[in-house]
Amino acid sequence: MKPTPQGSSRRLMLAGGASMAAGLAMSDKGFAMETKTKAGGHAEVDGLSVYYELHGGSPTSGKTPMVLLPGGVMAIDTAFTADIIPRFSKTWPIIAIEPQGHGHTGDREGPFRLERMSDDVAGVLKHLGVKQAHLFGHSLGGMIATGVAIRHPALVASLTAVGTTFNLDGMLPELAKLQRGEIKEPSAELVPLLPTEADFAAWQANYNKHNPKPETFFPVLEKLNAMLGSWEGWTPAQLGAIRAKTLLAIGDNDFTRIEHAAEMKRLIPGAQLAVLPGTTHMGIIERGAWLEPLIAARIAAA
């Protein structure tokens, strides 16, 4: 039986996130307005045509670009166009990438693999002739970005992982059980944090509009859920090997437990941790005015 939108979105906790206000805004307005200076295309990476957009100038102009990676089921439009791209592109050339099975980027045969998604980012940078970049990833995007820092360290000038855990146990306990399929329905206390029908409708509408195979939305969602539910996380040794300047950022009402984020900070050499007040998992990507100076300061620090 085809999964219902509500059932599928309830399981996709780590990947996407939820904010009723953000979801309703997307539902009312359609897609966020286009930014002024945009170019883009596709990079052929390991048999997949990976979509990217360029904002704020050439990524090979001499200034280190910033790579943006959206959360699960989201796309460039639904994640970054409203705030992050117009704000960050004033400081850095932007390379926004839609991972496998997201937005304009199609799917591959077989299961999703986080390592392969990280390698795809490296492939896009190679395609563009970029030797090194700052990475900014939200939720699943933060996992992908962290994977790039682990697997392709020479490419990463800095890492900003937003709303990200290093294993499923870092999530709120009930959320981790829901993601693993150990429980089927969330408690009344958890429901306000989960993706709303408006969130889900905006994500699906974007996929239907842009993806080369819009009929694959639900199969891709199930594959993504399967990957996240079985993900074993990164080891202390893998995190300890990261040498990029690292900023971890979560909301004080995020899916990630604050004590888990503090442990991730401890494991990554020289990492910094920002806990943003009054901020949810989805709401954190609307905090560009707070995040930009934190990122700039981390990049500038020794």
Side-chain angles (χ1 to χ4, degrees), residues 71-254:
V73 195
M74 301 187 75
I76 294 168
D77 286 350
T78 55
F80 298 133
T81 304
D83 180 31
I84 296 294
I85 287 177
R87 189 180 303 276
F88 284 18
S89 62
K90 296 175 183 177
T91 304
W92 303 282
I94 296 297
I95 307 168
I97 298 174
E98 291 179 338
Q100 176 184 346
H102 290 71
H104 298 71
T105 303
D107 189 21
R108 293 183 174 99
E109 293 293 329
F112 273 81
R113 291 177 49 240
L114 188 62
E115 297 83 359
R116 204 173 191 185
M117 298 172 89
S118 296
D119 292 347
D120 288 342
V121 174
V124 172
L125 295 181
K126 180 179 179 181
H127 169 82
L128 292 171
V130 173
K131 302 299 183 184
Q132 197 171 56
H134 305 295
L135 301 188
F136 177 102
H138 171 237
S139 198
L140 173 65
M143 295 163 60
I144 295 170
T146 304
V148 178
I150 290 170
R151 295 173 63 81
H152 305 276
L155 288 176
V156 185
S158 74
L159 167 66
T160 302
V162 178
T164 301
T165 64
F166 66 88
N167 59 45
L168 280 185
D169 291 334
M171 300 170 68
L172 301 176
E174 183 184 354
L175 208 52
K177 291 180 181 179
L178 194 63
Q179 183 64 60
R180 291 188 177 110
E182 296 172 7
I183 57 175
K184 302 302 181 184
E185 294 295 329
S187 67
E189 292 76 20
L190 186 61
V191 166
L193 294 181
L194 303 187
T196 65
E197 291 184 11
D199 293 324
F200 195 88
W203 300 340
Q204 186 174 8
N206 181 278
Y207 193 92
N208 290 343
K209 180 179 179 181
H210 295 298
N211 197 267
K213 293 184 177 180
E215 71 277 6
T216 62
F217 180 76
F218 283 105
V220 163
L221 181 57
E222 288 302 302
K223 288 170 62 173
L224 189 56
N225 275 324
M227 180 188 77
L228 295 172
S230 62
W231 182 53
E232 295 182 355
W234 295 295
T235 66
Q238 286 175 310
L239 295 176
I242 293 176
R243 291 296 176 262
K245 296 178 179 181
T246 299
L247 173 67
L248 309 173
I250 64 169
D252 60 355
N253 195 22
D254 210 311

